[in-house]
Each structure stands twice: as structure tokens, then as C-alpha cells.
Amino acid sequence: MDVFKSIDLRDRQSQFAVAAAAAGVVGGGYLLRRVIRARREAAPIPSGPYAPETLPKDCYDAVIVGAGPSGSVCGYYLAKGGAKVALLDKEVFPREKICGDAVCTPAIHILKDMGVIDGLVAEGKAKYADSGGFVSPAGLSYIGNSVHELGESAACAIKRYHLDNAVAKKAQEAGAELMEKFEVGNDVTFDAEKGLWTVKSVTGSVVKGRMLVCADGATSRLATRLGLCKAPALGVSSRAYISNHNTEFDGACFYPRWSLPGYAAIFRHADGELGYCYYLIPAGPNADKGQLGCVSADDLKRLHEDGIKSDPFISRAMGPEPKCQRMKAGSLRVGGQGVPKTYDEHLVIVGDAAGHIDPLTGEGIHTAMMGGKIAAETILKARAAGNFSVDATKKFQEAWMRRYGHDFYWSQAFAEAIYRCPILMDAVANETQRTGDRFMSVWAEVATCMRPKTDFFRPTVAVPLTFALIREFWSQKIMGNNKGYSMPLVNGKAA
């Protein structure tokens, strides 16, 4: 107590001592929390009653519903680990899937590990995106090449028609039993005494397994039916393939004010076609009720078509006579929206069904694949222990949260910030124009999940961005130079 009495907060040295002590306590507490969490996650799963040898011959270690990227990656690694896997899909491969087709770096690494990506490139079905950029809300643009800064491409364009077929067949090759045209019906039950799921198709086929993996997409009828998905997906996206265009670079994102934090994007495919997409992302005070910034899901078709016809930047990339396929649309479940937890007794939820789509970019192939691999690792550990309880399957959520889920909070925060203050994106473009590919590579790393969103707080990033923001504020708000990104007039009205 005498020590505390001797502290005089009016004295500068005492102030420094107190500040140092407080920083030490906070820092120590943070480190202790990380150590405790790491030890808890690393702790082995206790033994349970369902050792591998207790599995009935006509049953599977895991039944995966949905053979998209998350389900097939999960099936591949489970089969490679010795598990008996049933991989179900209602379609026959190859099949169409509405998506932006941008495969980010973490997914590329998994595809390399599976032995898939090189074959797709060799067959002319995949194209690495080496040159690309973006257009900010004020019309500031930059197209560069960040490969020499990163040492690898930040993304690769692969049509889902080819990608999903390749990963599903690779899972089958690894030993998973791929069951096509197996549409899961309403009869999905769990026998707690036997520790087995029974999954019936709409045609009466039956599959039984120890673990159930819900990988059936953003609308996830299965997770909804089981009461684990509490709300419909709120985000939406469009896609159309374009030929006869003017684009020579590999990809670009366009951020017009009227759809923030949503945006439009184009990616050039190996066959020369453009994949043109529009993403509308939940943001605003009523985001949980379907607010998508200043627009709603009903505006998607209009924005998609206006982009091709009237947007000053997108239309320039399209050229005077683009040949456009009919727009298709799909749902986006971002940042775990509507799915409070991704595990239960003998069950995990992965990919779009779990809401593993980045709330800032709307991209989800990389997180789907990462989540699928993490699910397989968790299930293999549970299988070895014979324990598929909630305590065991919870380790899946702990693992994906540590790997990429923690980033969803900051993605949503940045999406809200961009919606409310578009000048923030202008500042990013301003600094990119000033420094070129060096800063473009920073944006590419963060946008493609190579680096966490918190990298924006690093002094080497935050300081130049702050000065760029000051420059843009001076230019736009003080000098009135804000004539950039605006739709041309059509019949005297804004398009």
C-alpha cells in the first residue's frame, strides 16, 4: 500500500510508470488469453464411444450434402485421411453455378495441394489474374500488375462449371463416393443412441453416416430445416458472361457511390470471355432486415444492366457492341449472417451455408475451401477419438474463427465505413495512383485474404492512407473537385 501512496500522478515520472504498468497489464492479459485459447484448441478430443471399428458396414464416417468447393474439398481430405465418405449433390457434374468465378490465393494453394489447378490451366480453363485494379467512387482509377510485388497472382479466374467438376471428381478419385442426382428431401434424422444420421433423397434413396456436413450453399435448405440457419441470406449478386469486349487487363472492380458497399467486377477468363458481376452487400442501420447500402435486392437487375449500358467505366471496358449472356442472380450469406454456430452433435456447416463469405468483398470460394479443409481435419480427429459430441465439433468453429473468421468483423466494419464515407475508397485509389503497384499489392493481399483486414492499421499502411485521405478531402470538399464517377444523362435523367 505504501507503494501506491508514494505515486504522485502530477509527477511526470509517475505518469510514465503508471502508463507502463497499465500497458504491461493489458498486454500481459492479452497474451495470457491467447495462450489459454491456443492450449484449449490444441487439447486432444477425449475418447468417445464411436471408434472407427464401431461404424456399421453400410454406413459412412461422413455424409456431405453438397459437392461444391467446400463439400468436395472436405470430402477429398477426409478420404485422403482414411474416412469413408458419401458426397451428395442434386445435380450431375459438370453443372452450372452462379458465382463471380474469382478464386483467391488461399484457394489456389489448396487446389495446388489437391493437384487440380495445374490441370485446369493446362486445359485452358483457368487464367491467373496478373493485371488488374479498381475505380473508386470519385472516378479515380488504377490498373497495374502486383505479381512482381507479391511473388504470385492474387487471384485466378475459373468458371464454376469447370472448378466444381474438377474438385468433385478429385474427391471421388481420392476415395469419396460421389452420389450425383441425390436431392436431399425433408427426411433427415439423427439417432442419438446409435450416433448415426439418416439422410433420404426425394426419390427414396437412403444414406447413413456418423457425421453430417451441411455444404448446400447460401440458402442451405438442410441447415434451415435442422433449425441451425435462422434467417434467409440477405446479400445478392449477379453474373453474366460477355464476349466481343474491349478489356485487355485481367480484372477490375468498380465502386460507384450508388451501390456502396457493393460494387461491380469483371474478370477475364481463359477462353477470352469476361465474367461480369454485381455484388450488393448488407450495410446500413437496417442491414439485418435487407438494407444493402442505398439500394435493395430489387435493384440488382437494374444496376447490372445499367452498368453495361451507361456506367462510364464498365461500358468502356465492354466496348460498343458487347455480346452479353442473360443475367443470372444468386444469394450471398456474408459474415456468418443467420448462422449463430456452425456445429452441433455429429454435425458441421461449411462454406456458403455457414455464411463464410467476406462481408467486404462478397468473395467466398477461398473461405469455402479453407473451411472445408478445416472441417475435414476436425472430423478426422473426432473419428480417431470416437467422439462427435458438441465439445468435439466445436473445435471446427474455433479453428475457422482463428484462421479467417475473425476477419469478418473488420470486413463488415470497413463495409459500413465505405458506405457512409465513400471518400475512404478514394483515398485508397489516391495512394495507389501515387505509389503504383507497391500499394496495389497491399490492397490485393487484404482483399484476397492473404493478409487480415487489420493490416490497414499498420503504420506503414495507415499513415500514408491518412495523408491520402487528407489530400482527397482537400480536393473534394475544399477545392470542389468531385466530378468523377457519375452516370451520364439518358433522356435528360440520370441513368
Side-chain angles (χ1 to χ4, degrees), residues 318-362:
M318 297 295 179
E321 296 181 353
K323 294 181 180 178
C324 308
Q325 292 186 6
R326 182 175 61 86
M327 184 197 96
K328 296 181 179 179
S331 299
L332 295 176
R333 184 182 298 280
V334 304
Q337 175 256 318
V339 186
K341 66 176 186 175
T342 58
Y343 64 93
D344 207 337
E345 294 278 352
H346 293 245
L347 177 147
V348 293
I349 311 173
V350 298
D352 289 8
H356 289 184
I357 296 177
D358 192 299
L360 179 61
T361 66

Side-chain angles (χ1 to χ4, degrees), residues 455-478:
D455 260 30
F456 283 129
F457 297 127
R458 285 190 296 125
T460 54
V461 178
V463 172
L465 268 183
T466 300
F467 282 108
L469 182 60
I470 293 171
R471 291 194 299 270
E472 277 303 306
F473 184 85
W474 177 266
S475 175
Q476 294 185 31
K477 307 300 182 182
I478 306 301

Side-chain angles (χ1 to χ4, degrees), residues 67 72 85-89 93 165 168-169 171-172 175-180:
S72 290
V85 182
L87 182 58
L88 319 179
D89 201 279
F93 290 92
N165 180 60
K169 295 302 170 64
Q172 184 180 39
E177 188 172 343
L178 178 61
M179 302 182 186
E180 299 170 287

